[in-house]
């Protein structure tokens, strides 16, 4: 009865926005990589520089109160790339400023991103271990 | 002394009147269809404070002050106040009333608190234990979001069933008197839980509680929905409202033609991006003060069942995958002193 009464998210309406904005972010990323290369940055550092720029940009937009408005239309389009991660760190840092720099910003900053970091690092260690084990033989 | 009738209903024996009331809202409420009924719309949702919690407290003290000035009374004239909000330890209320000097009963009934406060205040006034009592509740979008969901700037997407916590507050002053609106009866709610676990669909979680209280009230008083012009639930939103109507239909009670929901009245759902409607303690309280009570005074509504609904969850119980129990308290407000019963 509840399921019948509750409309699901309208996939047809939200999908193009996510696809378009997600795609635009990726396009921006690629442009940045090529741009840095054109500026004479060493090839292997270009993707790193591009990622850093995207993260900084997302954090800046979060601070300017713009990011959540883009996300409303983009849905997973802004969530999936690293921009979503930057937003997830910057948003609580801003929000919990009122509880002080240590217990507010410091403790709550990784409220949303924390689990990703924990399991990301744990998975990294696990894969590292497997590769190392295979390397032994 | 109020007379207990049936299992959960209390009929007032004195002639209780809502002497004055006030509704305060913020920017989004000011863009809604009820804007003109509000006593005060503060477009700055910080209310000039440096934290959201302080903003909510400021809103509470403004609302109480406004209700008192509407009643031409001062803080000393109030014997006690029943008040609550959604924040942990009800700090919105306690900090807001810190300087008022009014004896305080702090309440937590989630979004049903306004009716709970009015119910308790009316019992105390009706028993002539106190002369004049107030009830006030508040909610603030920003404090509720950061306590229950995500930080404000986080780009999360709200599903269509989600509701928008109103940044609003409402207060009433109750006493014995001879001018409408009158408070005729009240019914205490029971905790109901049919196992909804989605905190983005609280209307569905609360609908069974609303149905239970309403069913009980009609049985206790031997009345039927046709005898009331309007049944206004608190904040079931679009989905919860539909479920309430369906649940009662199963029991042969048809409220469809006279049911409305404060969460649907406060915002324009098409234009204001609020998904399933408004919610929060302040939603029903401010709709009461900005629209329902003025209509009752003027006789545009003659008999109203006002029934805010509360979802009794905490962020901890949600994380522990508990279902969401609901509660609904009912207050019968009327333009007439007698009749129906």
């Amino acid at each position: 009865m509840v399921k019948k009464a509750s409309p699901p998210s309208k996939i047809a309406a939200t999908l193009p926005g996510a696809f378009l904005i997600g795609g635009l972010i990726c396009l921006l990323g690629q442009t940045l990589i090529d741009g840095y290369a054109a500026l004479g940055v060493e090839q292997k550092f270009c993707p790193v520089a591009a990622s850093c720029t995207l993260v900084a940009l997302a954090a800046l937009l979060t601070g300017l109160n713009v990011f959540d408005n883009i996300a409303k239309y983009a849905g997973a389009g802004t969530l999936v790339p690293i921009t979503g991660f930057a937003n997830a760190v910057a948003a609580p840092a801003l929000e919990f400023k009122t509880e002080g720099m240590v217990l507010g910003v410091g403790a709550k900053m990784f409220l949303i991103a924390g689990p990703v970091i924990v399991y990301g690092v744990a998975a990294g260690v696990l894969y590292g271990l497997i590769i190392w084990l295979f390397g032994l033989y | 002394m109020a007379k207990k009738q049936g299992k959960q209903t209390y009929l007032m024996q004195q002639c209780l009147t809502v002497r004055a009331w006030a509704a305060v809202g913020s920017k989004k409420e000011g863009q809604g269809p009820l804007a003109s009924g509000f006593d005060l719309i503060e477009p700055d949702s910080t209310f000039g404070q440096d934290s959201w919690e302080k903003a909510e407290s400021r809103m509470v003290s403004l609302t109480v002050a406004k209700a008192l000035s509407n009643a031409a009374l001062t803080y000393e004239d109030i014997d006690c106040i029943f008040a609550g909000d959604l924040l942990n330890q009800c700090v919105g209320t306690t900090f807001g009333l810190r300087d008022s000097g009014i004896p305080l009963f702090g309440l937590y009934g989630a979004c049903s608190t306004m009716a709970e406060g009015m119910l308790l205040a009316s019992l105390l006034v009706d028993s002539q234990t106190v002369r004049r009592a107030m009830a006030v509740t508040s909610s603030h979008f920003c404090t509720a979001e950061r306590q229950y969901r995500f930080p404000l700037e986080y780009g999360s997407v709200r599903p269509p069933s989600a509701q928008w916590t109103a940044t609003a507050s409402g207060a009433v002053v109750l006493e014995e008197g001879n001018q409408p609106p009158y408070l005729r009866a009240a019914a205490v709610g029971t905790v109901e839980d049919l196992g909804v676990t989605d905190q983005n669909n609280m209307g569905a979680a609360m609908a069974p509680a609303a149905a239970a209280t309403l069913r009980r009230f009609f049985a206790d008083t031997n009345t039927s929905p046709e005898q009331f012009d309007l049944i206004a639930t608190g904040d079931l939103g679009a989905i919860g409202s539909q479920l309430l109507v369906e649940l009662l239909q199963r029991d042969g009670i048809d409220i469809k033609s006279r049911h409305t929901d404060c969460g649907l009245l406060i915002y324009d759902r098409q234009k204001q991006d609020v998904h399933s409607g408004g919610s929060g303690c302040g939603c029903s309280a401010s709709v009461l003060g900005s629209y329902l009570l003025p209509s009752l005074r003027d006789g545009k509504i003659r008999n109203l069942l006002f029934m805010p609904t509360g979802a009794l969850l905490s962020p901890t119980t949600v994380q522990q995958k508990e279902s969401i129990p609901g509660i609904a308290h009912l207050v019968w407000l009327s333009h007439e002193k007698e009749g129906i019963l």
Side-chain angles (χ1 to χ4, degrees):
Chain A
M1 193 164 153
V2 171
K3 273 197 193 122
K4 209 176 77 189
S6 316
S9 290
K10 295 188 190 84
I11 292 178
T14 51
L15 205 60
F19 182 76
L20 202 69
I21 295 181
L24 278 175
I25 293 171
C26 297
L27 180 68
L28 181 66
Q30 189 58 48
T31 316
L32 282 169
I33 294 176
D34 295 346
Y36 281 120
L39 285 173
V41 178
E42 212 179 308
Q43 197 63 42
K44 66 175 176 183
F45 291 130
C46 286
V48 181
S51 304
C52 291
T53 314
L54 282 179
V55 167
L57 202 62
L60 180 71
L61 288 178
T62 306
L64 293 176
N65 201 359
V66 177
F67 191 93
D68 53 330
N69 291 326
I70 302 176
K72 202 160 69 189
Y73 297 102
T78 48
L79 180 73
V80 174
I82 46 176
T83 47
F85 197 73
N87 170 241
V89 176
L94 274 174
E95 176 80 41
F96 289 96
K97 194 168 69 200
T98 45
E99 277 84 341
M101 287 310 285
V102 178
L103 292 177
V105 176
K108 297 283 177 69
M109 196 170 197
F110 297 102
L111 193 70
I112 306 167
V116 185
I117 298 173
V118 170
Y119 293 114
V121 171
V125 169
L126 193 69
Y127 281 120
L129 201 66
I130 292 169
I131 291 173
W132 176 72
L133 280 174
F134 274 100
L136 286 182
Y137 302 103
Chain B
M1 183 76 85
K3 186 169 143 242
K4 180 162 175 273
Q5 174 131 341
K7 192 164 166 253
Q8 285 155 233
T9 307
Y10 297 89
L11 305 178
M12 301 306 150
Q13 301 301 297
Q14 314 300 330
C15 191
L16 295 198
T17 177
V18 183
R19 168 161 169 166
W21 54 86
V24 172
S26 190
K27 189 177 166 195
K28 202 168 183 97
E29 293 67 37
Q31 294 161 346
L34 301 182
S36 61
F38 278 79
D39 292 89
L40 176 71
I41 292 286
E42 172 59 63
D44 173 13
S45 56
T46 67
F47 284 75
Q49 308 295 311
D50 56 17
S51 81
W52 296 120
E53 286 72 19
K54 281 187 195 165
E56 178 161 353
S57 296
R58 174 82 187 132
M59 183 167 65
V60 174
S61 41
L62 281 173
T63 312
V64 171
K66 197 76 211 167
L68 285 174
S69 79
N70 289 347
L73 294 169
T74 64
Y75 292 110
E76 286 78 45
D77 297 317
I78 305 300
D79 293 316
C80 62
I81 187 163
F82 291 86
D85 60 275
L86 295 176
L87 300 185
N88 290 339
Q89 288 78 41
C90 281
V91 287
T93 301
T94 50
F95 283 65
L97 296 172
R98 176 162 61 174
D99 300 322
S100 71
I102 307 175
L104 164 72
F105 292 97
L107 302 177
Y108 185 81
C111 308
S112 73
T113 310
M114 193 57 187
E116 186 178 2
M118 289 174 77
L119 184 156
L120 290 166
S122 62
L123 290 180
L124 223 49
V125 175
D126 195 64
S127 69
Q128 298 178 318
T129 310
V130 305
R131 205 165 148 237
R132 206 173 278 126
M134 282 186 77
V136 62
T137 62
S138 69
S139 57
H140 195 300
F141 176 77
C142 301
T143 56
E145 282 297 302
R146 73 200 297 254
Q147 177 173 315
Y148 288 97
R149 294 176 201 99
F150 291 118
L152 295 174
E153 302 300 330
Y154 181 57
S156 61
V157 178
R158 309 161 73 83
S161 61
Q163 289 172 253
W164 185 278
T165 308
T167 302
S169 175
V172 297
V173 182
L174 280 168
E175 62 179 20
E176 276 184 54
N178 271 312
Q179 51 183 344
Y182 301 104
L183 196 160
R184 303 276 303 276
V188 198
T190 48
V191 180
E192 301 290 328
D193 190 344
L194 292 189
V196 174
T197 52
D198 181 4
Q199 74 157 339
N200 275 317
N201 197 351
M202 292 206 283
M206 297 186 291
T213 304
L214 211 49
R215 203 184 292 127
R216 197 69 243 175
F217 174 80
F218 288 135
D220 285 349
T221 55
N222 203 16
T223 51
S224 62
E226 299 76 54
Q227 292 171 280
F228 300 88
D229 340 5
L230 197 63
I231 298 166
T233 46
D235 45 8
L236 292 177
I239 295 160
S241 294
Q242 190 191 331
L243 288 169
L244 171 66
V245 170
E246 283 176 26
L247 279 172
L248 285 173
Q249 242 157 18
R250 287 183 181 179
D251 302 316
I253 303 172
D254 181 18
I255 61 162
K256 193 164 188 183
S257 59
R258 48 203 73 229
H259 171 258
T260 187
D261 186 76
C262 297
L264 300 175
L265 293 171
I266 191 167
Y267 300 121
D268 185 329
R269 278 177 69 221
Q270 307 305 322
K271 291 189 197 137
Q272 289 191 285
D273 190 37
V274 294
H275 299 275
S276 193
S279 71
C281 293
C283 174
S284 54
S286 64
V287 170
L288 183 71
S290 64
Y291 167 61
L292 298 172
L293 285 171
S295 305
L296 278 159
R297 176 194 57 206
D298 302 340
K300 284 179 214 151
I301 302 174
R302 300 201 82 80
N303 283 289
L304 165 76
L305 297 180
F306 175 62
M307 184 171 57
T309 46
L312 304 172
L313 56 91
S314 87
T316 310
T317 61
V318 170
Q319 283 167 0
Q320 292 175 351
K321 309 271 191 300
E322 289 272 1
S323 57
I324 302 172
I327 193 162
H329 303 292
L330 178 149
V331 176
W332 171 18
L333 293 160
S334 176
H335 183 70
E336 290 130 13
K337 269 187 214 177
E338 48 207 9
I340 293 190
L341 289 184

